[in-house]
Amino acid sequence: MTEQWAVQATGLTKSYGKVRVLSGVDLQVASGTLLALLGANGAGKTTTVRILSTLTPADGGQATVGGFDVLTQRHQVRRTISLTGQYAALDEPQTGLENLCMMGRLCGLSGAGARARAGELLERFDLVDAGTRRVSTYSGGMRRRLDLAAGLVGHPSVIFLDEPTTGLDPRSRQTMWAVIKDLVASGVSVLLTTQYLEEADQLADRVAVLDGGRVVAEGTVPQLKRDVAGERLDLTLADRAAYLEIEARLGTRAAHRDPTALTIGVPTDGTGAHVRALLDELDPTRDAVARFSVRGATLDDVFLALTGQPASTEKEPAHV
Ligand SMILES: Nc1ncnc2c1ncn2[C@@H]1O[C@H](COP(=O)(O)OP(=O)(O)OP(=O)(O)O)[C@@H](O)[C@H]1O
Ligand SMILES: [Mg+2]
């Protein structure tokens, strides 16, 4: 693909009944890069992905994928992309191999061509042994991998991944991350939605944060950390009483709270003057703070600063 932008959207709006979900979403994915779209539950991530992958029409705005208009050139867009949804769509009674062969035939490959491509993908996704078993016997992580593999049968140049690792154990998540990194390295463009900030940190060239129906921040991870959250003063309090007292004093200014570890984080510019002033303000009697450290903001801090709510760290598995 020679287009500079694999995905380009401007002013996307969408309402369901009276509920306005998107009120002017602008975003771009440069070719051969990965954009992570972050947002709390219900922020409109899946809605955005559905619009860009031609499954749902927007009420307003424009979008192109691979240079094709998602409204007027739906067929070209569909031939360019693959979509791996929040919930895997696989044929349960069939084996992994059969699922992939079926996708191959749907993509116009010959029987032999489809089998060859299926074999190649099973290997790449570490599913060779499982390939001859019915999908209904697969674990959540195996399903996710097979689902992504199924999307790659037709060599898409743009891939949409809607929460590809939600509910996976850390090891399956690592496998998935390695596969996604490989894809991007091979020149594929990816728009990935996630609630895991670590995932964005690991994979994304750029991050866009969706809140209140708009993209409220966009940039590289280091840029966002620097621009939005600066640095953080982490205080370890002497005891529970001290923790509660300082927590009450800080109120909504706290960027991070961990009552078990008795630590609280406060945004700072990192200068000696500011840190000293904060310590004096929060601990005038000089006995509440046991230890402190100043460090660069995390993506968690960015998320909290932009959306006013902490990112969830775990969600219910998609398959129970
Ligand atoms: N088909 C629909 N009909 C009515 N409301 C919908 C529909 N699809 C989504 N919504 C609403 O739109 C809002 C955004 O939903 P969306 O699925 O895009 O959020 P999300 O960011 O993907 O959330 P999650 O992190 O939970 O997957 C929610 O309030 C949801 O209830
Ligand atoms: Mg969603």
Side-chain angles (χ1 to χ4, degrees), residues 16 19 21 39-48 86 162-163 195 315:
Y16 288 108
V19 183
V21 179
N41 287 135
K45 301 180 297 295
T46 297
T47 303
T48 304
Q86 198 164 1
D162 194 8
E163 300 200 26
Q195 308 219 18
K315 268 186 33 171

Side-chain angles (χ1 to χ4, degrees), residues 84 86 88 90 122 124-127 130 133 135-150 163-177 179-180 317-320:
T84 300
Q86 198 164 1
L90 296 161
L122 288 176
R124 179 160 173 193
F125 284 81
D126 199 14
L127 289 168
R133 273 171 36 201
V135 172
S136 52
T137 69
Y138 281 24
S139 72
M142 291 159 79
R143 278 163 206 270
R144 287 300 177 99
R145 274 181 280 150
L146 184 65
D147 195 33
L148 179 52
E163 300 200 26
T165 66
T166 295
L168 297 190
D169 66 31
R171 196 171 147 227
S172 304
R173 189 170 295 159
Q174 296 280 351
T175 312
M176 203 65 164
W177 287 353
V179 170
I180 295 170
H319 294 277
V320 184

Side-chain angles (χ1 to χ4, degrees), residues 197-198 200-202 207 217 219-232 268 295-303 305-306:
L197 301 175
E198 196 198 342
D201 226 344
Q202 286 273 334
V207 171
T220 64
V221 171
Q223 262 169 10
L224 290 181
K225 286 179 181 171
R226 202 177 49 233
D227 296 353
V228 178
E231 297 188 66
R232 200 170 93 184
T268 172
R295 57 178 188 72
T298 63
L299 209 44
D300 232 330
D301 303 329
V302 174
F303 197 84
L306 289 170

Side-chain angles (χ1 to χ4, degrees), residues 15-16 25-26 31 33 69 92 97 100-102 105-106 111 127-128 135 165 213 243 258 280 293 301 309 311 314:
S15 299
Y16 288 108
V25 167
D26 300 328
S31 286
T33 70
D69 189 288
E92 299 278 329
L97 181 65
L100 294 182
C101 286
M102 184 179 69
R105 295 309 299 254
L106 287 174
L127 289 168
V128 174
V135 172
T165 66
Y243 175 87
D258 186 345
D280 284 343
S293 63
D301 303 329
Q309 42 189 321
E314 277 302 324

